Amino acid sequence: MTPFEHVMPDSVAGALAGMQDRPPGEHASFLAGGTNLVDLMKSGIAQPGRVVDLRHVALQAIEPTADGGLSLGALATNADTAAHPLVRSRYPLVAAALLAGASPQIRNMATNGGNLLQRTRCSYFYDTQVPCNKRAPGSGCPARRGLAKSLAILGTSEYCIATHPSDFCVALAALDATVHVESPRGSRTIPLTAFHRLPGDQPERDTELSTGELITHITLPPGPFSQHSSYLKLRERASYAFALVSVAAALAVGPDGHVRAARIAIGGVAPRPWRVPEAEELLVGRPATPASFALAAQRMLQGASPSGAKGTDNAFKIPMAERAVVRALEVALSGELGHLTRQQPRQEAP
């Protein structure tokens, strides 16, 4: 076992100090639910010299904002967030995405802030015996000509084709969420759509966070999408599986049946939730029909390029994603997920 120091502050200020007050060259990590970091430490991928445990920091609140939106505490669990009455009534898309992720036991531990920071599930990243530019910059990306079935078709570079694994973030991207962070330098906000980085020539950098910054909460703006939204997740098995393709879709439709506003984000296809505002704008003013939805879907997948060895490539994701966008918009239009009427009780981990 690689030894590390474990500290447990009881305030944001203490957490930030814990990241700063350490020997030169020592890496430190925040620990929230631990559902990803602990796995990375066990695999030898993450080897922090200090772990700053956040369990006693008061960042669990879920509450309305002054502008009519909603604030989600970074340390609120995914389970508690999905079950919260304000999330279910105002942002059912968020609840649906959270309930599509992981397992009940993991959702009881995983936190909102940690969900944003989870690392790719690319098998090459987790196999420390093979090269990976995200894990060891400059070593190469064997996934490009290897087993790429689950990997990205959009936003890739020659250095990396890994996908971001979150369901939650796909819904947040569709709804224009904002990430709020604190550091010794002060506070700042980052739009969720700009929070995760494309790999470029620095695939080891997943987000726009700077060293020592702490996510405190996520805000959702008020919007007209509570009645017409859907989250569609296509995966190899019904539960506890990451998306091959997922779609968060939301519509505002006028009495004449024409689209007044639309939001679409795709997961499982890129290094970050994939949002194309031009595709959403194509729908505005058009009738809410499968033909209109197909135009938006084609624009969403414009520029998609498959990778991988013959027989294990991910070319199938392009038509799959186009059809998934159309289907998700159809479900959103139907209003089937407009209200999550049954309260899901919090399930205790064994």
Side-chain angles (χ1 to χ4, degrees):
M1 182 179 120
T2 302
F4 60 89
E5 180 187 7
H6 178 260
V7 298
M8 192 177 294
D10 58 7
S11 66
V12 169
L16 296 176
M19 292 293 283
Q20 297 296 315
D21 179 24
R22 62 184 194 273
E26 180 186 83
H27 175 65
S29 293
F30 288 124
L31 174 70
T35 58
N36 190 203
L37 178 62
V38 172
D39 285 345
L40 295 171
M41 292 173 67
K42 288 179 177 179
S43 301
I45 297 169
Q47 296 181 322
R50 174 180 294 183
V51 172
V52 181
D53 192 328
L54 303 172
R55 74 182 71 184
H56 295 314
V57 180
L59 294 174
Q60 294 83 14
I62 298 174
E63 54 196 6
T65 58
D67 65 355
L70 195 63
S71 174
L72 309 176
L75 294 180
T77 67
N78 289 176
D80 287 346
T81 302
H84 196 282
L86 290 179
V87 175
R88 294 166 67 84
S89 61
R90 297 187 189 181
Y91 303 94
L93 178 55
V94 171
L98 284 169
L99 292 172
S103 66
Q105 292 88 349
I106 289 176
R107 292 195 298 268
N108 284 344
M109 291 297 297
T111 63
N112 294 336
N115 192 299
L116 271 61
L117 298 175
Q118 63 182 301
R119 305 211 69 186
T120 183
R121 300 295 169 155
C122 174
S123 58
Y124 293 95
F125 173 75
Y126 272 88
D127 185 349
T128 58
Q129 302 304 307
V130 301
C132 171
N133 284 324
K134 186 174 282 293
R135 175 170 32 80
S139 62
C141 179
R144 292 186 58 80
R145 294 174 180 82
L147 302 173
K149 179 179 180 181
S150 64
L151 301 177
I153 55 175
L154 291 160
T156 63
S157 75
E158 63 179 295
Y159 298 94
C160 185
I161 60 169
T163 52
H164 184 65
S166 173
D167 293 290
F168 181 43
C169 289
V170 182
L172 294 179
L175 295 175
D176 294 311
T178 299
V179 183
H180 298 253
V181 302
E182 291 282 346
S183 77
R185 300 175 295 280
S187 60
R188 68 180 180 123
T189 60
I190 309 170
L192 194 284
T193 51
F195 182 79
H196 298 99
R197 291 170 50 89
L198 296 181
D201 60 0
Q202 290 183 300
E204 70 276 13
R205 290 192 61 196
D206 292 344
T207 75
E208 294 294 343
L209 284 183
S210 299
T211 301
E213 285 190 312
L214 172 68
I215 299 172
T216 58
H217 60 291
I218 303 152
T219 53
L220 291 160
F225 303 115
S226 62
Q227 299 300 313
H228 295 284
S229 64
S230 70
Y231 188 74
L232 175 64
K233 183 176 182 178
L234 305 179
R235 47 190 164 175
E236 292 186 317
R237 57 183 185 271
S239 66
Y240 198 38
F242 295 96
L244 291 171
V245 172
S246 63
V247 182
L251 293 169
V253 182
D256 59 357
H258 286 64
V259 177
R260 290 183 171 177
R263 298 289 185 271
I264 310 166
I266 312 179
V269 298
R272 66 186 182 197
W274 197 251
R275 178 105 179 263
V276 181
E278 294 84 1
E280 299 165 356
E281 292 165 7
L282 276 176
L283 287 173
V284 176
R286 291 180 180 270
T289 64
S292 298
F293 299 159
L295 288 175
Q298 291 167 13
R299 179 63 185 87
M300 289 289 295
L301 274 296
Q302 187 174 312
S305 177
S307 299
K310 185 177 181 180
T312 63
D313 63 75
N314 54 14
F316 72 93
K317 282 194 174 188
I318 299 175
M320 175 183 278
E322 289 185 353
R323 293 168 187 163
V325 169
V326 174
R327 178 58 180 156
L329 287 166
E330 289 176 335
V331 175
L333 179 64
S334 74
E336 291 180 21
L337 292 184
H339 291 287
L340 299 174
T341 54
R342 290 195 303 165
Q343 181 77 7
Q344 298 292 328
R346 189 179 191 275
Q347 302 182 54
E348 297 298 331

